[in-house]
Amino acid sequence: MVFSLRGSREVRRLPLALLLLAAWAAASGQLHYSVPEEAKHGTFVGRVAQDLGLELAELVPRLFRVASRSRGDLLEVNLQNGILFVNSRIDREELCGRSAECGIHLEVMVDRPLQVFHVEVEVRDVNDNPPVFPMTVKTLRFSESRPLDSRFPLEGASDADIGVNALLSYKLSSSEFFFLDIQSNDELSQSLSLVLRKSLDREETAEVNLLLVATDGGKPELTGTVQILIRILDVNDNEPNFDQSVYKVQLLENIANGTLVVKLNASDADEGSNSEIVYALSNDVPSSIQAKFKIDSSSGEMRIIGQLDYEEKKSYEIQVIASDKGSPSMSGHCKISVKLVDVNDNTPEVLIKSLALPIREDAPLGTAIALISVSDRDSGANGQVTCTLTPHVPFKLVSTFKNYYSLVLDSALDRESVSAYELVVTARDGGSPPLWASASVSVEVADVNDNAPAFAQPEYTVFVKENNPPGCHIFTLSARDADAQENARVSYSLVERRVGERAVSSYVSVHAESGKVYALQPLDREELELLQFQVSARDAGFPPLGSNVTLQVFVLDENDNAPRLLLPPGAGGAGGALSELVPRSVGAGHVVAKVRAVDADAGYNAWLSYELQAAAGGARGAFRVALYTGEVSTTRALDEADAPRQRLLVLVKDHGEPALAATATVLLSLVESGQALKASSRASAGAAGAEAALLDVNVYLIVAICAVSSLLVLTLLLYTALRCSAPPAGGACGPAKPTLVCPSAAGSWSSSQQRRPRVCSGEGPPKADLMAFSPSLPQGPDTVEERQQRPESEHFGKELE
């Protein structure tokens, strides 16, 4: 705390007790300094930055600033050394009037983070105003017949200073006729009266000149004077007398014009015109009072003629003269003391400043958003203001100092739930009825990257026909990010992994912006039936957030593989031929050979049928082939007319569109029964073992194929349920239909169900039927290895529209 002397002198050393007081005030968030009024520009007030614990180097970066609601240019802070100094002339009387307390309230604010400190600078009064009388020359009239000790009230001087500087003492020039009587009444005011000590004789002394000097209690003392001219009258023995020397009145400040203030009553002991009294305001009454009060000259009633305002002036002292109509006229005096009573006629004021907006949604609790000050010009309870905030918002008001509040964050924010708040701050006073005012604050919530992109499903299933063109669009992925702007800009990328010996990026690619998935090369179902990979969606926030989704690409079959014949070991001939010995004694319906074939495709494309073609030199009508099993049997009994060597051509074709086919040659040798018996006995042992092995293989294959088919049916049912609940993301190609196949020992069954996924090419109308066809299983140990090299999934197909 710094104290300054009068004039240009200032105290340069601080008492230890005052330094301790300043340190305590800074710790509590409020500093107190003092400065004398009329101090010169640059006068030291206090080390604000040091007392607040702020480093000098951070004043400019943290936007250190000082603000005051009124006369903010009086004090200033040097940002280089953090010293508060006088910037312009401070006139305490202009700033606070005659108020006992006078101070300048400063708000010291810094940003990053926002902090506010309150500084009270007391303005000390100096004796810079001399006492002033209402007039420089005052003329009085005294009747020569006035008795001794007669009193005549005098208007005292006024001093704009306060305290000791306004404590006045009076001295009257020496006179043999009069002396000055000073009486102190309530409120530290004084009543001055001239008292007659010696009888007057107009014939000897017609006028008396006096000088009244008023001296204040300041150091140095200042004085004011008034010249009193007393004229001695030779008429009218009695002056009017009031029944009270002082009339005390209390009025509400909102009293209406014309309201009676007081009715004066004065009497005169004379008779006739010398007792007729006329009431008037004293000539000493200022014009500002004359504009608010009016007295009726005959009745003595004083009424309100102007608007009273407690906040402007709290009390009035009015001198009234009652004069008779004698010649010369005599007068009596009284004083009316009017005190105003405050009413709640001023609405609170709300001022919002230093907004730190927008606020991040991850801002910690207690973050200051705005500084709010409220005020009310009324007094007492009428001027006591309470502040409230819109209910049900994540903010609260924290009182910092007197009528100052901070708007702070009270609970967590989520921009994705509420992106902006409209707050209303309401200030309400304690009057009856209370008055209130409000101010609005728009608080925008700034986005933080706290939401990762999200896909509608954790997994997507796509069906693509094999042999698709390179670069074909097969699917479009879309992830939504609940954040805003850059935090919501999503980019897609492929999560690299190995598919066998190759990277997944050699099969598919993902467009970074659109999320479209493309097949980079033709897919081969016989090589890769299911391609499963992950796509990552990542936003552009900092740090970026991301999520993955799994994409299952099922490759649908096309009829691109012709049937392949399965010939026993040692089968030779052109293109390979099946040779069998047939006894001539066999009857009709005897199976003489069996053509076996497989197709690498699936579904209809792998469903094989057998057809016997005409062959040169063959026995006409003696043999036939089963449509689906490939078994060659006799249609009649053989005879001697039939050629010993029969050559049959069997056409094997699938049910694809278009159908693909292969031709098998069957060479039959017709022999006698003895030769056939020897040949069959030699092969019986090997055939029995082969049949047993084939039976075991068939059982295992049937169980495996049925299990895989059941899994596929479950997958398709789940996919259908998902597609019913959400619209599918489209590919660039047309519909197809799936076919499920389950083989058995007697043949195979398949059923097709119409679906609606996106695939790479169109199909004809959907099929829904039940059919049986050859399981196309090999015979003999040599075909088991071939079967193990082919995936079990070749025996069922999937085609969806």
Side-chain angles (χ1 to χ4, degrees):
M1 185 179 297
V2 177
F3 294 88
S4 299
L5 298 177
R6 297 185 183 89
S8 62
R9 294 178 300 169
E10 70 180 56
V11 176
R12 301 184 182 276
R13 297 183 178 178
L14 297 175
L16 179 59
L18 297 180
L19 287 176
L20 293 176
L21 179 60
W24 172 85
S28 63
Q30 177 183 353
L31 295 180
H32 292 271
Y33 300 110
S34 67
V35 65
E37 66 173 328
E38 304 297 340
K40 290 184 178 181
H41 173 77
T43 299
F44 174 86
V45 178
R47 300 183 183 276
V48 173
Q50 178 179 340
D51 294 340
L52 291 177
L54 300 176
E55 297 293 336
L56 296 181
E58 65 180 8
L59 296 185
V60 174
R62 292 189 64 186
L63 301 180
F64 181 95
R65 57 196 184 278
V66 175
S68 175
R69 294 194 60 182
S70 61
R71 303 300 300 272
D73 57 343
L74 297 179
L75 301 172
E76 189 57 66
V77 174
N78 188 330
L79 296 182
Q80 303 301 320
N81 53 26
I83 292 178
L84 180 67
F85 64 92
V86 176
N87 187 46
S88 59
R89 175 178 175 268
I90 302 176
D91 188 347
R92 188 186 188 283
E93 288 70 36
E94 179 183 349
L95 190 64
C96 303
R98 293 186 57 82
S99 175
E101 297 180 359
C102 183
I104 301 174
H105 179 76
L106 302 178
E107 294 175 359
V108 178
M109 292 169 285
V110 291
D111 291 339
R112 305 168 189 163
L114 177 64
Q115 290 180 284
V116 60
F117 306 92
H118 299 278
V119 179
E120 286 284 344
V121 180
E122 177 190 0
V123 179
R124 302 196 308 275
D125 184 51
V126 299
N127 194 24
D128 58 341
N129 291 282
V132 177
F133 286 92
M135 57 186 66
T136 57
V137 178
K138 184 175 181 63
T139 302
L140 303 178
R141 291 178 174 83
F142 268 67
S143 173
E144 64 176 347
S145 61
R146 279 209 173 193
L148 295 178
D149 296 329
S150 294
R151 308 174 71 86
F152 191 94
L154 296 178
E155 184 74 12
S158 61
D159 195 321
D161 297 319
I162 64 168
V164 176
N165 296 330
L167 186 60
L168 302 181
S169 60
Y170 296 89
K171 184 177 181 181
L172 185 66
S173 60
S174 177
S175 171
E176 62 177 321
F177 298 103
F178 299 93
F179 68 93
L180 183 66
D181 181 43
I182 303 175
Q183 293 184 355
S184 298
N185 50 27
D186 58 341
E187 301 176 345
L188 301 178
S189 63
Q190 295 175 323
S191 296
L192 307 180
S193 299
L194 275 179
V195 182
L196 182 64
R197 73 165 84 187
K198 182 180 179 181
S199 298
L200 297 174
D201 187 353
R202 182 181 179 280
E203 285 68 28
E204 291 182 0
T205 306
E207 289 184 350
V208 177
N209 287 309
L210 300 175
L211 184 64
L212 180 60
V213 180
T215 304
D216 61 25
K219 293 182 181 181
E221 299 174 344
L222 298 179
T223 61
T225 61
V226 58
Q227 184 179 355
I228 302 175
L229 176 60
I230 302 175
R231 293 179 179 176
I232 311 301
L233 304 179
D234 190 22
V235 287
N236 215 358
D237 297 4
N238 295 285
E239 63 183 13
N241 291 316
F242 288 93
D243 55 1
Q244 297 180 41
S245 61
V246 178
Y247 292 84
K248 295 183 178 181
V249 181
Q250 282 191 343
L251 299 176
L252 295 176
E253 63 171 320
N254 63 346
I255 192 169
N257 285 345
T259 301
L260 177 65
V261 177
V262 65
K263 180 176 174 59
L264 301 176
N265 183 28
S267 59
D268 195 308
D270 295 324
E271 294 182 351
S273 62
N274 291 334
S275 65
E276 294 179 7
I277 298 175
V278 176
Y279 298 92
L281 298 178
S282 172
N283 294 331
D284 298 338
V285 175
S287 59
S288 59
I289 296 179
Q290 296 181 18
K292 298 180 183 296
F293 300 91
K294 182 179 180 180
I295 190 169
D296 187 279
S297 60
S298 58
S299 66
E301 292 181 347
M302 177 177 284
R303 295 183 181 273
I304 300 295
I305 60 172
Q307 184 175 1
L308 303 180
D309 188 357
Y310 177 86
E311 287 70 43
E312 178 183 335
K313 191 173 180 64
K314 297 177 176 57
S315 63
Y316 298 90
E317 289 191 351
I318 308 168
Q319 295 286 345
V320 178
I321 299 176
S323 304
D324 59 26
K325 294 184 178 181
S327 181
S329 175
M330 299 188 69
S331 60
H333 302 77
C334 75
K335 182 168 67 174
I336 303 175
S337 178
V338 178
K339 289 187 176 181
L340 298 185
V341 178
D342 183 48
V343 296
N344 194 25
D345 59 345
N346 289 281
T347 301
E349 296 180 359
V350 182
L351 182 62
I352 300 176
K353 50 189 174 181
S354 298
L355 294 173
L357 297 176
I359 180 172
R360 289 168 55 94
E361 62 176 319
D362 63 346
L365 301 185
T367 300
I369 301 170
L371 302 179
I372 301 172
S373 63
V374 295
S375 61
D376 195 311
R377 295 182 59 208
D378 293 320
S379 301
N382 296 332
Q384 294 178 358
V385 181
T386 56
C387 230
T388 58
L389 189 64
T390 308
H392 310 301
V393 293
F395 304 95
K396 67 178 179 179
L397 293 175
V398 177
S399 178
T400 57
F401 174 76
K402 291 182 180 178
N403 288 335
Y404 290 85
Y405 297 85
S406 292
L407 179 63
V408 300
L409 183 62
D410 188 42
S411 60
L413 298 175
D414 184 8
R415 189 205 66 84
E416 289 69 43
S417 299
V418 181
S419 61
Y421 294 88
E422 290 295 330
L423 308 182
V424 178
V425 180
T426 302
R428 192 180 304 271
D429 61 28
S432 180
L435 299 179
W436 59 274
S438 62
S440 298
V441 184
S442 295
V443 179
E444 180 183 353
V445 182
D447 184 51
V448 174
N449 192 27
D450 55 351
N451 289 278
F455 291 93
Q457 300 175 205
E459 184 176 273
Y460 292 91
T461 301
V462 182
F463 297 90
V464 180
K465 273 204 168 185
E466 64 176 330
N467 302 320
N468 56 280
C472 176
H473 171 222
I474 61 175
F475 198 68
T476 298
L477 291 170
S478 178
R480 180 182 178 276
D481 196 309
D483 294 319
Q485 298 177 352
E486 290 299 309
N487 296 332
R489 185 162 60 85
V490 180
S491 60
Y492 304 88
S493 62
L494 192 65
V495 178
E496 190 64 81
R497 74 175 187 89
R498 306 293 297 180
V499 179
E501 298 298 326
R502 300 171 58 182
V504 70
S505 58
S506 65
Y507 290 98
V508 293
S509 68
V510 180
H511 192 273
E513 295 181 1
S514 66
K516 291 184 177 181
V517 182
Y518 298 93
L520 298 180
Q521 63 181 16
L523 300 177
D524 186 0
R525 193 203 68 84
E526 288 72 39
E527 175 188 343
L528 181 67
E529 185 174 357
L530 170 62
L531 177 61
Q532 181 171 302
F533 56 92
Q534 286 189 328
V535 174
S536 173
R538 188 170 297 271
D539 58 32
F542 183 81
L545 301 178
S547 62
N548 294 348
V549 67
T550 300
L551 198 63
Q552 294 188 104
V553 179
F554 285 92
V555 183
L556 301 181
D557 185 57
E558 281 192 339
N559 194 26
D560 57 347
N561 290 279
R564 183 169 62 88
L565 298 173
L566 299 178
L567 299 176
L578 177 62
S579 298
E580 294 289 346
L581 297 177
V582 181
R584 285 183 178 272
S585 61
V586 297
H590 181 75
V591 177
V592 297
K594 186 172 184 177
V595 178
R596 292 179 173 85
V598 294
D599 196 310
D601 295 321
Y604 282 96
N605 298 329
W607 182 24
L608 303 181
S609 61
Y610 301 84
E611 180 181 344
L612 188 62
Q613 301 292 312
R620 183 176 300 275
F623 301 96
R624 65 180 179 185
V625 63
L627 180 61
Y628 296 118
T629 62
E631 292 181 340
V632 180
S633 60
T634 58
T635 59
R636 58 178 173 81
L638 300 178
D639 52 27
E640 295 296 331
D642 293 321
R645 295 182 64 84
Q646 300 286 333
R647 185 173 182 269
L648 306 179
L649 294 179
V650 178
L651 180 65
V652 184
K653 64 179 180 179
D654 57 30
H655 285 71
E657 296 179 4
L660 300 179
T663 302
T665 301
V666 179
L667 299 177
L668 301 178
S669 297
L670 304 183
V671 297
E672 298 300 329
S673 298
Q675 296 176 351
L677 183 59
K678 292 179 181 180
S680 60
S681 62
R682 288 194 301 267
S684 59
E691 287 296 333
L694 178 60
L695 181 59
D696 292 341
V697 171
N698 286 346
V699 171
Y700 288 124
L701 287 178
I702 290 172
V703 172
I705 291 174
C706 288
V708 173
S709 300
S710 300
L711 179 60
L712 178 60
V713 171
L714 182 60
T715 302
L716 292 178
L717 290 177
L718 179 59
Y719 175 75
T720 303
L722 293 176
R723 291 295 297 270
C724 291
S725 61
C733 305
K737 53 185 180 301
T739 301
L740 305 182
V741 181
C742 183
S744 65
S748 299
W749 60 265
S750 69
S751 66
S752 62
Q753 296 179 350
Q754 187 174 354
R755 303 280 181 174
R756 302 187 62 85
R758 293 289 188 170
V759 293
C760 284
S761 64
E763 279 293 336
K767 299 179 181 180
D769 51 14
L770 182 66
M771 61 201 72
F773 59 93
S774 170
S776 304
L777 298 178
Q779 289 183 353
D782 57 319
T783 59
V784 174
E785 295 179 356
E786 296 180 2
R787 188 61 179 176
Q788 291 175 347
Q789 294 174 359
R790 301 175 60 226
E792 297 177 357
S793 58
E794 292 178 352
H795 292 274
F796 67 91
K798 307 174 289 294
E799 297 180 5
L800 297 181
E801 180 186 55

